[in-house]
Amino acid sequence: MADNETNEAVMISPSVPSPTNEEAPSLEKTKQFLLHQISVIEKHIKEIELAQSTTSMPVPPNIQAKLYALRKIQLDLVEREVKFHLKAHEMEVQYQAEFAECHDKIARIVNGLDVPELTESNPTPNDAADQPTGVPEFWLTVLKSSFLGHMIQKLDEPVLKQLQDIRVVLVSEPVPGFELLFSFAPNEYFANEVLSKKYFLRCAPNPDAPVMFDGFEIYSCEGCTIDWKDGHNLVEAPGSSFFDFFNPESMTNADYHADHNKAIMECDFQYGYHMKETIIPRAVFLFLKENIKYHYSNYYTWFDGCVDFEYLEELREGAPGRRRRWRQ
């Protein structure tokens, strides 16, 4: 995912000058460089797979006993990591009230309910700053500044201008997970005050592949029903809408290849995690288009094979897609 996690906040910032033709490498040279890097990586992967599949030299019995004992200890280490991640999640659940204090303050200023005190370093005139207008289009700008911006269509923007807040609520019972809450001002599109989406987590190694364990992973999600007003259903209107996010089942199809549906859902898991880990806690930085690196800690894990955005659009439109290799 590292290659896809480009710093879009910098890329779209007007303060960053575009490279001249002399400075920028040609598209063909860049393409050849990337192809070479991919070739090197694929060759290395094949070498590792070959080394793992090749029958090795017979191991003496005394060494076999040691290796068996070492692997048993390794599995015990994985089980202890499971306990660690579960406890860490529980601590995060308990601590979220501390974060909520700051999010409440942000929401009140953004929505014009509070006017912050001016400081000497703030050049804004008092008569301008004291106007209780809030920060117009705050969350629309935040979303468009993130890598989820590609999901927003022109027809989505008027209602996203009415988005007042985005919050995350962590839960540990009955199963670990988190819920995203999108609060809207009254609008002409739907009757809901809040749109929600739940993500469910598991923290257990695969018995057949314990080496792949890396903490929590999202394994399922659940959207909500949008009460669209007559003639304003954006999901039906543009063919592709940001509001598809709240109905993940609509993005898959029983007629599609299993890999097709798996690709879409895995990317959806990544979007949800990005909301939780970057968009909500770094919203002000995203609005200001400050230098943010989209980080993905190992606390929650997805599959490495997420498709790129153009490929995802091909999948959603039912176009024949390329076959992908997935981590098992």
Side-chain angles (χ1 to χ4, degrees):
M1 286 297 299
D3 292 339
N4 290 336
E5 296 159 11
T6 51
N7 187 345
E8 295 171 45
V10 172
M11 292 172 60
I12 63 177
S13 173
S15 64
V16 179
S18 300
T20 63
N21 292 335
E22 294 180 356
E23 295 173 335
S26 69
L27 181 61
E28 183 61 30
K29 287 183 178 179
T30 301
K31 180 180 178 181
Q32 292 300 321
F33 174 77
L34 293 175
L35 289 175
H36 173 70
Q37 295 299 311
I38 293 172
S39 175
V40 171
I41 293 172
E42 289 184 343
K43 180 181 178 181
H44 186 55
I45 291 173
K46 290 179 180 178
E47 290 173 350
I48 294 174
E49 291 175 344
L50 180 62
Q52 293 176 340
S53 62
T54 302
T55 303
S56 58
M57 294 289 290
V59 179
N62 63 322
I63 302 298
Q64 284 184 348
K66 291 182 176 66
L67 294 178
Y68 177 82
L70 288 172
R71 190 173 190 278
K72 189 175 180 180
I73 296 171
Q74 183 73 74
L75 291 174
D76 182 49
L77 179 60
V78 170
E79 291 301 321
R80 296 184 187 200
E81 288 178 7
V82 170
K83 295 179 181 178
F84 165 79
H85 288 293
L86 289 171
K87 182 170 287 189
H89 178 78
E90 185 60 37
M91 290 180 62
E92 190 175 5
V93 171
Q94 295 172 359
Y95 203 78
Q96 60 184 331
E98 298 283 340
F99 298 127
E101 290 184 12
C102 293
H103 290 304
D104 289 343
K105 293 177 182 178
I106 291 173
R108 293 187 63 83
I109 293 174
V110 165
N111 294 299
L113 300 176
D114 284 346
V115 177
E117 294 183 4
L118 297 179
T119 62
E120 293 181 0
S121 61
N122 190 334
T124 306
N126 283 308
D127 57 349
D130 288 342
Q131 299 300 318
T133 56
V135 182
E137 303 180 20
F138 177 83
W139 284 104
L140 171 61
T141 303
V142 169
L143 290 173
K144 292 178 71 173
S145 297
S146 74
F147 81 67
L148 271 64
H150 75 285
M151 298 168 61
I152 299 174
Q153 309 301 319
K154 284 293 183 182
L155 291 177
D156 295 327
E157 294 192 13
V159 67
L160 287 175
K161 290 178 181 179
Q162 305 302 315
L163 182 55
Q164 295 180 318
D165 198 12
I166 306 178
R167 295 291 181 98
V168 59
V169 177
L170 281 76
V171 296
S172 55
E173 297 293 341
V175 296
F178 62 90
E179 183 175 18
L180 300 173
L181 304 174
F182 295 69
S183 300
F184 287 84
N187 60 83
E188 61 184 281
Y189 291 87
F190 47 76
N192 312 64
E193 293 183 1
V194 177
L195 299 182
S196 63
K197 188 168 184 180
K198 297 178 180 178
Y199 287 90
F200 303 97
L201 307 170
R202 63 185 169 205
C203 186
N206 182 341
D208 297 326
V211 67
M212 302 304 295
F213 178 74
D214 198 19
F216 276 100
E217 66 176 2
I218 298 172
Y219 70 90
S220 181
C221 63
E222 179 183 298
C224 69
T225 299
I226 302 178
D227 186 10
W228 295 103
K229 297 180 180 179
D230 290 343
H232 291 85
N233 190 328
L234 296 178
V235 173
E236 295 178 353
S240 176
S241 169
F242 175 83
F243 293 92
D244 288 325
F245 177 76
F246 297 98
N247 186 14
E249 293 81 6
S250 69
M251 296 187 291
T252 61
N253 191 305
D255 296 331
Y256 296 161
H257 190 280
D259 278 359
H260 177 119
N261 289 331
K262 187 175 181 180
I264 292 176
M265 293 312 299
E266 286 171 357
C267 280
D268 179 75
F269 296 164
Q270 296 188 26
Y271 298 157
Y273 181 66
H274 184 61
M275 284 274 191
K276 174 189 178 294
E277 288 295 301
T278 300
I279 291 179
I280 295 174
R282 298 294 181 265
V284 175
F285 294 146
L286 284 166
F287 182 85
L288 297 173
K289 296 181 173 58
E290 293 190 14
N291 188 353
I292 292 180
K293 281 188 175 182
Y294 298 136
H295 65 282
Y296 301 97
S297 69
N298 290 330
Y299 185 44
Y300 295 92
T301 319
W302 324 298
F303 294 88
D304 292 331
C306 181
V307 295
D308 56 66
F309 299 131
E310 291 182 2
Y311 180 64
L312 178 60
E313 292 304 318
E314 290 178 8
L315 290 176
R316 292 179 60 183
E317 293 169 5
R322 296 162 287 176
R323 292 298 303 275
R324 308 290 293 188
R325 290 189 301 175
W326 302 100
R327 189 174 80 179
Q328 300 298 320

